[in-house]
Amino acid sequence: MAHPSWFAHLSGYDQIESGIIQPMIEWLCNGQSLTVLDAGCGRGQQALWFANEGCHVTGVDMNPQSLKSAIDLSQKTPLVDTIQFHHSDIRALPFADETFDLVWTSYVLHHISDLHRTVNELKRVLKSGGRLAIREGGLPLQMLPHDIGMGEPGLQDRLRVAQNRWFDTMTKATLSQSDQFHYPYGWSQLLHDAHFADIHAKTFVTEFLSPFDAIQSEFVMWHLNRFLERDHGEYGPILEPDDRKTVERLVDHTDDFYILNRNDIHVRYGLSVYVGTKE
């Protein structure tokens, strides 16, 4: 697939994720020129993919630095006139009722405590017949053989447990612990609770084998180094000592087990989107 000119401005991680996000956005747009709200737009890459499909996009975010990055990125593209960005809380949007054909939110709602209030606010700005697309969850990234020749077999499974441990600790620390904010259900149930119709989901995947190109190598190294960073970070430790040593060896370019020198690494990764229609 030929990439747009601005694709080269994305990080290696964002380029790999774009291989999943771009077909997801193409599927949502289905050839239509939509008015789209990117709720929690971050650095603006996904807003660009919507604009690339011919949509008119409004991005909102609470982080001024992220908005600056989004504006800077959009100005490097021919799509700048079809995208606008605003500093706004998605729980209190500065838009009239029934403004957008599609509201998209990606990697955002799991940071929000009052999900019912937030989803109802997103629904408010949707036109009748418009859709809310929640990009959360998916298929956990896997890339290691069960036995990698050092440490206890099954490291990939234990890394998934460590990721869940980090996520649970982070959310407990950052979200309100009030019972009224506790929502122990999945994303499709949230759409049911907000009385959306035609609720469905779809998962998009990417995969690639070693040896890797430069972008794939950057993605693989980022993924493993993130475990070490989180192990030493605010919500750590998350790794058992022996597993920490194994991961350290995998990312050490002087080690015989350096991951980028292996020919048995198979990356598989999926992202899901949950969609509901406003009646």
Side-chain angles (χ1 to χ4, degrees):
M1 180 184 70
H3 296 300
S5 59
W6 49 264
F7 187 79
H9 295 292
L10 303 182
S11 70
Y13 173 85
D14 289 327
Q15 288 189 33
I16 294 294
E17 281 229 329
S18 290
I20 309 174
I21 294 292
Q22 187 273 333
M24 183 183 292
I25 287 173
E26 183 179 350
W27 173 73
L28 286 167
C29 295
N30 194 28
Q32 303 173 81
S33 178
L34 306 172
T35 55
V36 177
L37 174 64
D38 186 349
C41 62
R43 300 188 305 277
Q45 309 96 312
Q46 294 166 23
L48 284 176
W49 282 117
F50 277 107
N52 202 62
E53 290 295 316
C55 298
H56 293 271
V57 188
T58 300
V60 298
D61 205 280
M62 285 286 287
N63 187 315
Q65 188 58 48
S66 293
L67 284 175
K68 182 180 183 304
S69 296
I71 292 168
D72 290 346
L73 178 60
S74 69
Q75 289 175 343
K76 297 174 182 175
T77 79
L79 304 170
V80 61
D81 292 335
T82 61
I83 308 176
Q84 56 181 317
F85 295 102
H86 299 273
H87 183 267
S88 175
D89 188 336
I90 70 169
R91 295 168 294 187
L93 293 165
F95 308 115
D97 296 356
E98 303 205 356
T99 298
F100 299 99
D101 299 310
L102 177 71
V103 172
W104 161 270
T105 179
S106 177
Y107 291 123
V108 174
L109 292 188
H110 67 260
H111 293 294
I112 302 291
S113 55
D114 193 344
L115 286 171
H116 286 120
R117 171 190 168 191
T118 302
V119 169
N120 282 323
E121 176 65 357
L122 299 176
K123 184 179 182 182
R124 179 186 68 80
V125 300
L126 271 175
K127 298 175 183 177
S128 296
R131 292 167 296 155
L132 172 61
I134 300 174
R135 219 304 305 140
E136 293 278 0
L139 302 176
L141 188 148
Q142 296 191 36
M143 60 181 172
L144 300 174
H146 178 69
D147 189 344
I148 61 173
M150 63 171 171
E152 183 181 352
L155 176 62
Q156 186 75 76
D157 294 332
R158 295 193 300 280
L159 290 179
R160 179 59 180 168
V161 172
Q163 164 64 18
N164 289 341
R165 184 181 301 127
W166 176 87
F167 183 83
D168 291 342
T169 303
M170 181 272 293
T171 52
K172 287 176 182 177
T174 57
L175 300 182
S176 170
Q177 298 304 297
S178 170
D179 286 343
Q180 75 181 101
F181 295 130
H182 182 57
Y183 190 77
Y185 305 104
W187 301 110
S188 56
Q189 184 62 51
L190 185 63
L191 291 169
H192 281 287
D193 289 347
H195 305 293
F196 281 89
D198 189 26
I199 296 166
H200 54 286
K202 190 172 177 66
T203 299
F204 293 77
V205 300
T206 190
E207 62 178 334
F208 46 92
L209 280 168
S210 56
F212 304 127
D213 62 27
I215 296 301
Q216 293 167 344
S217 296
E218 180 183 338
F219 179 85
V220 167
M221 292 297 289
W222 174 89
H223 179 74
L224 286 177
N225 278 308
R226 184 176 64 166
F227 284 106
L228 298 176
E229 292 166 3
R230 289 178 171 177
D231 191 54
H232 294 293
E234 181 179 0
Y235 307 117
I238 60 173
L239 297 173
E240 297 298 327
D242 287 346
D243 287 342
R244 184 186 309 116
K245 292 177 183 177
T246 300
V247 175
E248 288 171 344
R249 291 189 65 183
L250 285 170
V251 299
D252 181 357
H253 69 93
T254 67
D255 196 285
D256 290 341
F257 286 90
Y258 181 46
I259 194 165
L260 296 186
N261 288 339
R262 301 180 65 116
N263 290 318
D264 60 351
I265 306 302
H266 179 194
V267 176
R268 293 94 76 199
Y269 181 38
L271 300 176
S272 297
V273 61
Y274 299 84
V275 185
T277 300
K278 178 178 178 179
E279 293 185 301

